[in-house]
Amino acid sequence: MSVGSYGHPDLCASPCIRAAYAKCVKGFFCQFCHLGHQKPKSKLNKNERELFGSLNETEVLSVVLLLLREKCVKLPGQQQDALRLLLSSIQRRVNLGNVGTRQMDFALRPMRRFSIGRLIDIIQQCHQVEQDFKLELKWLTEKARAEVDQARAS
């Protein structure tokens, strides 16, 4: 088990390639998930990446927020509570009324298959999102992962 495994399978980080071959030297402190995943990490294809790259920060966060809300509703209550602060932080940055529905539809379609953790990774990798906000989300994500893991243990 590693720090990146907290919240597995819904909220965990991407799988650790080295752990799959028992070669991860970071052990518990690894930021990637050391637990088994049934399918490989979902990715956007080239056209989807280009479309996503053309969106501004508000549009990117709006797309991810809508998908996160859809996925969070399906989680048990304790896990929803752990993610509430993360969702409200994203909500403060966006105004859903200003996003074009056509762009939203194209961006939402391929990302519906992404896990919660992968959606948060998308924000972290997105050049349109300010670095200060990425750091805030990283902290909130780690906090939520720990709370989810703690709730499962009790």
Side-chain angles (χ1 to χ4, degrees), residues 2 10 15 17 19 25 32 38 43 45 47 59 69 72 74 76 88 96 105-106 111 117 124 127 142 148 151:
S2 66
D10 300 309
I17 295 169
V25 295
F32 296 93
Q38 294 177 340
K43 298 180 181 181
N45 66 35
N47 291 335
E59 293 166 333
R69 283 183 178 158
C72 285
K74 299 173 186 172
S88 65
L96 294 177
D105 186 45
F106 282 123
M111 294 173 61
Q124 294 295 342
H127 71 275
E142 289 170 3
V148 165

Side-chain angles (χ1 to χ4, degrees), residues 19-147:
Y21 298 100
K23 301 222 185 238
C24 183
V25 295
K26 294 182 181 178
F28 174 78
F29 299 103
C30 183
Q31 296 296 310
F32 296 93
C33 184
H34 283 199
L35 301 176
H37 288 259
Q38 294 177 340
K39 48 188 172 179
K41 176 175 135 179
S42 297
K43 298 180 181 181
L44 297 173
N45 66 35
K46 184 179 178 182
N47 291 335
E48 293 164 347
R49 285 192 308 271
E50 286 174 1
L51 171 68
F52 205 71
S54 71
L55 302 177
N56 64 38
E57 180 186 72
T58 300
E59 293 166 333
V60 167
L61 293 175
S62 297
V63 166
V64 174
L65 180 62
L66 287 172
L67 293 169
L68 286 172
R69 283 183 178 158
E70 284 178 14
K71 292 183 179 294
C72 285
V73 169
K74 299 173 186 172
L75 296 175
Q78 291 176 324
Q79 291 180 24
Q80 286 182 25
D81 292 343
L83 290 167
R84 193 163 285 131
L85 195 56
L86 181 78
L87 293 174
S88 65
S89 179
I90 297 171
Q91 178 62 56
R92 283 194 309 271
R93 300 278 294 207
V94 301
N95 180 358
L96 294 177
N98 293 338
V99 180
T101 55
R102 183 169 178 259
Q103 280 183 314
M104 288 284 278
D105 186 45
F106 282 123
L108 281 169
R109 199 173 307 136
M111 294 173 61
R112 288 197 190 281
R113 66 184 183 271
F114 290 6
S115 69
I116 293 171
R118 181 69 180 118
L119 289 169
I120 294 167
D121 285 347
I122 291 285
I123 294 174
Q124 294 295 342
Q125 296 167 3
C126 191
H127 71 275
Q128 299 96 313
V129 179
E130 292 179 16
Q131 190 61 34
D132 288 346
F133 186 62
K134 288 180 184 181
L135 291 172
E136 179 184 345
L137 278 185
K138 182 177 181 182
W139 181 81
L140 289 170
T141 302
E142 289 170 3
K143 184 176 188 291
R145 284 178 176 151
E147 287 178 20

